[in-house]
Amino acid sequence: MKSDLPDRTFAFAERIVRLCLALEGENTVAATLVKQLLRSGTSIGANVEEAQASESKRDFVHKYSIAAKEARETHYWLRLLAKTEVILPSRLEPLTAEANELVAILTSICKKNR
């Protein structure tokens, strides 16, 4: 059975990019936070894609571990943007929930494959 995780992480990255584009031109603090969010939020899917072509089980787990770390970081930036009200918390709730779910999924995959 084919995993939908590559598509799901790609869709998540797309949502992150659209959010960051909507915030272009904001103040310096927001711009700095958005750069961090953009980097980590798009890295999740990139690492999942790399894992699809892994050379070994160890390489697969390594790529998924990096994706899990990036998902945790993304979750952090989303929480910070909401808490400081750089972006309305209600606007970030779906993305924050998805980041949290991705952390759980990726962590589970890593544990099962170790």
Side-chain angles (χ1 to χ4, degrees), residues 27-107:
N27 63 52
T28 307
V29 171
T32 301
L33 296 175
V34 165
K35 281 182 187 178
Q36 295 281 37
L37 175 64
L38 181 62
R39 187 196 55 73
S40 65
T42 56
S43 180
I44 301 164
N47 280 288
V48 167
E49 283 294 327
E50 284 187 43
Q52 303 310 302
S54 58
E55 297 173 2
S56 66
K57 188 173 186 175
R58 183 177 177 179
D59 187 34
F60 176 85
V61 171
H62 177 69
K63 298 294 187 214
Y64 266 73
S65 294
I66 293 170
K69 288 178 183 180
E70 294 294 339
R72 287 180 197 284
E73 182 179 342
T74 301
H75 187 259
Y76 172 84
W77 294 123
L78 289 166
R79 285 180 29 235
L80 184 60
L81 287 165
K83 188 70 172 177
T84 57
E85 298 181 351
V86 171
I87 305 169
L88 288 174
S90 60
R91 184 172 179 197
L92 294 176
E93 284 173 10
L95 276 173
T96 304
E98 178 68 356
N100 198 38
E101 286 183 29
L102 289 173
V103 168
I105 292 166
L106 293 163
T107 301

